[in-house]
Amino acid sequence: MQRAGSVVSRLGSRLQALPSAPCRSLSCAQTKIFGCDRVKLMESLVVGDIAELKPNQGTLSLFTNEAGGILDDLIVTSASEGHLYVVSNAGCREKDLTLMQDKVRELQNKGSDVALEVMDNALLALQGPTAAQVLQAGVADDLRKLPFMTSAVMEVFGVSGCRVTRCGYTGEDGVEISVPAAEAIRLAAALLKNPEVKLAGLAARDSLRLEAGLCLYGNDIDEHTTPVEGSLSWTLGKRRRAAMDFPGASVIVPQLKSKAQRRRVGLTCDGAPVRAQSPILSPEGTVIGAVTSGCPSPCLKKNVAMGYVPYEYSRPGTPLLVEVRRKQQPAVVSKMPFVPTNYYILK
């Protein structure tokens, strides 16, 4: 099944690659971390194995607190230029920058070689089945050699100094382009000259990421949710688990074996759309959890949602109930992603 990049276009026959409109006031936090101790700095804050990253390879990771809660999700790339390139959420920008800057000062005071630069860049996401084809017309690099979660610095439609990363938050093939803020509108305009490309807002992105089973920080995960509870155990590096040297490890690692009391699950149901905060009930009608995200799925023609339930109710196929507008309707715990992802993986 091919998914185009917006709710409207998916219902038609067109395939579209979609950039998000540039908006500096809502810009993601983009930073560079320099110095011999840059990996030491990042691994003191996140759960992932940053040391194992190859040049220009990136990974999704999590900032965690000492209680095991998730402070934010972020992408860390080991740039071949000799620094770490970090992208975190716009809504957590100030919190994340403070966290990293405080840790930099702490390590510098102990003699570590580390420094942080806040980038003045915008981020354009070009997503959809034809994204690579559209972008290839404006770059000299062969995008067939740029697989999922890798990046390269290149000139894009005449704009130099762009970092193109084969990733996105839609479940589709696509790229995120880090572009100097002063050139963002010019680059967006160049992309929009291709009739395949249409602007998409956050509502379209939200339905796509939900179909792909991807979390939205503040809705599906937060500082009171551990990676295990959030079904994000795969972000925990094997070496990091063994060393237990990341914030909250004493809480998180034991949950891997003892099973967390609650889990994030996918839900599908017919009837009225299920929205965040809707109660989740056992088959007997007892409230056991709550929905964190929900919307109609344009691809599946049914409602999809995420929410938290006790571990014993988390097995796919488990029948449950959800309450919508004070009425109960059947729901089923479902595997995620709801719609298969189409990431570009080299074989």
Side-chain angles (χ1 to χ4, degrees), residues 37-59:
D37 295 313
R38 60 188 181 274
V39 171
K40 175 183 176 182
L41 169 96
M42 189 52 55
E43 290 196 347
S44 72
L45 298 173
V46 304
V47 302
D49 191 339
I50 307 305
E52 75 170 0
L53 293 176
K54 299 175 182 178
N56 291 327
Q57 181 185 16
T59 186

Side-chain angles (χ1 to χ4, degrees), residues 90-131:
C92 298
R93 179 185 175 89
E94 297 307 319
K95 178 178 70 173
D96 292 347
L97 289 178
T98 298
L99 179 70
M100 290 187 286
Q101 290 167 339
D102 286 350
K103 183 59 70 171
V104 166
R105 284 191 289 268
E106 177 188 325
L107 292 182
Q108 287 176 339
N109 289 338
K110 295 179 180 179
S112 294
D113 176 23
V114 66
L116 182 146
E117 174 191 328
V118 180
M119 301 171 65
D120 186 22
N121 276 27
L123 198 66
L124 301 181
L126 185 68
Q127 302 285 296
T130 59

Side-chain angles (χ1 to χ4, degrees), residues 60-175:
L60 177 72
S61 197
L62 306 169
F63 287 130
T64 49
N65 59 29
E66 293 300 334
I70 300 170
L71 297 173
D72 198 9
D73 55 315
L74 66 154
I75 292 179
V76 183
T77 298
S78 181
S80 61
E81 296 82 4
H83 63 266
L84 297 179
Y85 168 58
V86 181
V87 180
S88 56
N89 284 307
C92 298
R93 179 185 175 89
E94 297 307 319
K95 178 178 70 173
D96 292 347
L97 289 178
T98 298
L99 179 70
M100 290 187 286
Q101 290 167 339
D102 286 350
K103 183 59 70 171
V104 166
R105 284 191 289 268
E106 177 188 325
L107 292 182
Q108 287 176 339
N109 289 338
K110 295 179 180 179
S112 294
D113 176 23
V114 66
L116 182 146
E117 174 191 328
V118 180
M119 301 171 65
D120 186 22
N121 276 27
L123 198 66
L124 301 181
L126 185 68
Q127 302 285 296
T130 59
Q133 175 186 331
V134 168
L135 188 63
Q136 189 63 75
V139 301
D141 297 60
D142 186 353
L143 297 179
R144 293 174 299 180
K145 299 178 180 179
L146 192 72
F148 181 59
M149 294 306 293
T150 64
S151 72
V153 175
M154 62 187 75
E155 182 177 292
V156 182
F157 286 100
V159 179
S160 61
C162 295
R163 178 170 288 277
V164 175
T165 304
R166 197 73 172 255
C167 69
Y169 220 59
T170 63
E172 288 298 325
D173 185 22
V175 298

Side-chain angles (χ1 to χ4, degrees), residues 227-299:
V228 180
E229 291 173 335
S231 298
L232 295 170
S233 300
W234 59 270
T235 63
L236 305 173
K238 184 177 180 179
R239 173 178 61 85
R240 308 300 308 282
R241 298 183 192 196
M244 294 186 66
D245 59 352
F246 55 85
S250 62
V251 175
I252 296 168
V253 173
Q255 288 183 343
L256 294 169
K257 296 181 179 179
S258 64
K259 307 299 182 185
Q261 292 185 348
R262 62 176 189 145
R263 283 292 179 93
R264 177 176 64 92
V265 298
L267 298 169
T268 56
C269 63
D270 298 314
V274 183
R275 302 296 185 184
Q277 308 305 321
S278 295
I280 303 173
L281 303 90
S282 69
E284 295 74 32
T286 302
V287 175
I288 58 171
V291 170
T292 54
S293 290
C295 73
S297 165
C299 280

Side-chain angles (χ1 to χ4, degrees), residues 272-329:
V274 183
R275 302 296 185 184
Q277 308 305 321
S278 295
I280 303 173
L281 303 90
S282 69
E284 295 74 32
T286 302
V287 175
I288 58 171
V291 170
T292 54
S293 290
C295 73
S297 165
C299 280
L300 300 178
K301 303 296 188 284
K302 63 174 65 175
N303 301 314
V304 296
M306 295 184 206
Y308 284 82
V309 298
Y311 180 79
E312 58 266 30
Y313 292 96
S314 64
R315 184 183 297 275
T318 301
L320 296 174
L321 298 170
V322 290
E323 186 176 301
V324 182
R325 299 171 192 163
R326 299 183 181 180
K327 294 182 179 180
Q328 296 179 4
Q329 57 190 49

